[in-house]
């Protein structure tokens, strides 16, 4: 087994060495030759080699006719090679060096795409996860970048897609707040949960998370003994989302904890509250109210 592994390692090293030799750019290569080489590598999705060619083109011919185009295509190559941080850096550099370039909107667009995907890799395409449960900072950064694009270049061909992505990102950010609120319920931090719900209602209007935000507030107020605020919130929930799952036919709040107190299951009652306690309240109706 050891010899097999050594053989495979040797073949891998030989393959890498062969690729390096194949990708090596002759010292006397002209600007057009290097550029054409990079284009062929991009077309064949050989992005690692394309990155090396584009970097060589820019370093050897920094004032050549393809220098700026090479910088733009380097952003794309880094993005496609799953080097998202490098893509963000390349986009930042292009924006800084060429703020008035006719294609600078593309740099903003790619920076937004790269910022959002900075913590993802190739395997995330096949093992999808809930975006709202991941680190939310990249989503915030991406939203800010797309917002710059649509604000500065409203007529850009990339603006429609950027706006659509902003809608998606707002939904992700709002859902994240609900996920955190549900966590706070499990931890018994009821005021913290209320604050998360209120933040959704105040800052993420017209997102599918708003009804859950109201439910979080109502449940939190009930657990804090603030029944008047709870009833006011329930009234708002019933008026705007009468079909919400935690409302009965009369608009009363139906959850683990209601204005009438803890709703214990029959097993918990049978064991005099010693076993099978009710689960902490959790709210997630995103599929029901998804746009």
């Amino acid at each position: 087994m050891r010899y097999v592994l050594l053989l495979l390692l040797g073949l891998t090293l030989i393959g890498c060495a062969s690729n390096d030799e194949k990708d090596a750019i002759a010292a006397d290569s002209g600007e057009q030759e290097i550029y054409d080489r990079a284009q062929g590598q991009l077309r064949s999705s050989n992005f690692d080699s394309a990155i090396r060619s584009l970097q060589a083109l820019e370093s050897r011919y920094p004032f050549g006719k393809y220098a700026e185009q090479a910088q733009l295509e380097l952003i794309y190559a880094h993005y496609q090679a799953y080097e998202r941080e490098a893509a963000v850096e390349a986009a930042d550099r292009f924006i800084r060096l060429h703020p008035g370039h006719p294609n600078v909107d593309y740099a903003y667009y790619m920076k937004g795409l790269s910022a959002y995907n900075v913590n993802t890799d190739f395997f995330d395409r096949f093992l999808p996860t809930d975006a709202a449960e991941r680190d939310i900072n990249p989503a915030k950064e991406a939203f800010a970048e797309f917002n710059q694009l649509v604000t500065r270049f409203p007529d850009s061909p990339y603006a429609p897609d950027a706006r659509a992505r902003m809608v998606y990102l707002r939904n992700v950010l709002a859902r994240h707040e609900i996920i955190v609120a549900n966590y706070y319920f499990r931890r018994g931090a009821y005021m913290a949960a209320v604050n998360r719900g209120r933040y959704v209602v105040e800052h993420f209007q017209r997102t599918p998370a708003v009804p859950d935000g109201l439910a979080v507030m109502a449940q939190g107020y009930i657990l804090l003994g603030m029944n008047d605020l709870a009833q006011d919130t329930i009234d708002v929930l019933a008026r705007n989302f009468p079909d919400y799952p935690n409302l009965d036919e009369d608009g009363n709040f139906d959850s683990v904890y209601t204005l009438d107190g803890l709703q214990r299951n029959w097993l918990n009652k049978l064991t005099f509250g010693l076993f099978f306690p009710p689960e902490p309240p959790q709210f997630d109706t995103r599929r029901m109210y998804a746009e």
Side-chain angles (χ1 to χ4, degrees), residues 10-263:
L11 291 174
T12 301
L13 293 175
I14 292 173
C16 291
S18 299
N19 287 335
D20 288 341
E21 293 176 1
K22 183 179 179 180
D23 293 337
I25 300 174
D28 59 348
S29 296
E31 181 183 9
Q32 185 69 53
E33 180 183 352
I34 300 176
Y35 181 74
D36 291 342
R37 180 192 188 96
Q39 294 306 299
Q41 291 163 338
L42 288 172
R43 286 193 296 270
S44 62
S45 299
N46 189 0
F47 299 112
D48 290 335
S49 297
I51 289 169
R52 288 191 288 270
S53 296
L54 292 168
Q55 288 173 336
L57 176 63
E58 185 185 1
S59 63
R60 295 188 189 184
Y61 304 96
F63 304 107
K65 63 178 181 178
Y66 294 118
E68 294 179 1
Q69 185 63 26
Q71 292 172 12
L72 274 177
E73 293 179 356
L74 191 58
I75 302 170
Y76 174 78
H78 279 306
Y79 179 81
Q80 291 293 350
Y82 293 92
E83 298 174 356
R84 304 301 162 76
E85 291 184 355
V88 171
E89 292 174 1
D92 265 334
R93 180 169 177 265
F94 187 88
I95 293 169
R96 184 175 64 255
L97 293 175
H98 313 288
H101 193 279
N103 293 324
V104 72
D105 56 335
Y106 175 78
Y108 279 105
Y109 176 70
M110 291 301 298
K111 187 179 177 183
L113 289 182
S114 303
Y116 178 62
N117 291 292
V118 74
N119 288 332
T120 62
D121 56 31
F122 175 80
F123 296 101
D124 285 321
R125 296 170 60 188
F126 305 99
L127 299 172
T129 58
D130 187 348
E133 294 181 354
R134 294 186 298 211
D135 178 14
I136 214 66
N137 287 322
K140 292 180 179 178
E141 293 174 12
F143 186 91
E145 296 302 333
F146 287 134
N147 187 53
Q148 282 203 65
L149 169 63
V150 300
T151 301
R152 297 187 180 190
F153 309 99
D155 298 325
S156 165
Y158 308 106
D161 185 70
R163 292 189 184 95
R165 291 179 184 275
M166 288 174 69
V167 171
Y168 166 77
L169 290 170
R170 286 189 79 247
N171 291 344
V172 169
L173 293 172
R175 175 51 47 188
H176 178 76
E177 296 296 319
I178 300 300
I179 289 173
V180 174
N182 286 335
Y183 167 78
Y184 283 144
F185 278 132
R186 293 195 298 270
R187 301 285 295 182
Y190 305 134
M191 182 54 73
V194 168
N195 289 337
R196 293 285 180 161
R198 183 188 300 116
Y199 188 81
V200 169
V201 173
E202 293 178 351
H203 297 278
F204 293 104
Q205 298 177 17
R206 297 187 299 278
T207 67
V210 169
D212 282 338
L214 290 167
V216 164
M217 292 174 63
Q219 184 70 94
Y221 284 137
I222 289 172
L223 289 164
L224 291 167
M226 301 178 178
N227 290 352
D228 289 342
L229 289 174
Q231 187 59 63
D232 290 342
T233 307
I234 293 169
D235 291 341
V236 173
L237 178 62
R239 185 164 56 251
N240 290 277
F241 306 97
D243 56 345
Y244 192 79
N246 290 92
L247 294 174
D248 64 19
E249 295 179 355
D250 298 322
N252 298 312
F253 195 68
D254 182 17
S255 183
V256 178
Y257 291 85
T258 70
L259 290 172
D260 295 326
L262 173 63
Q263 305 304 301

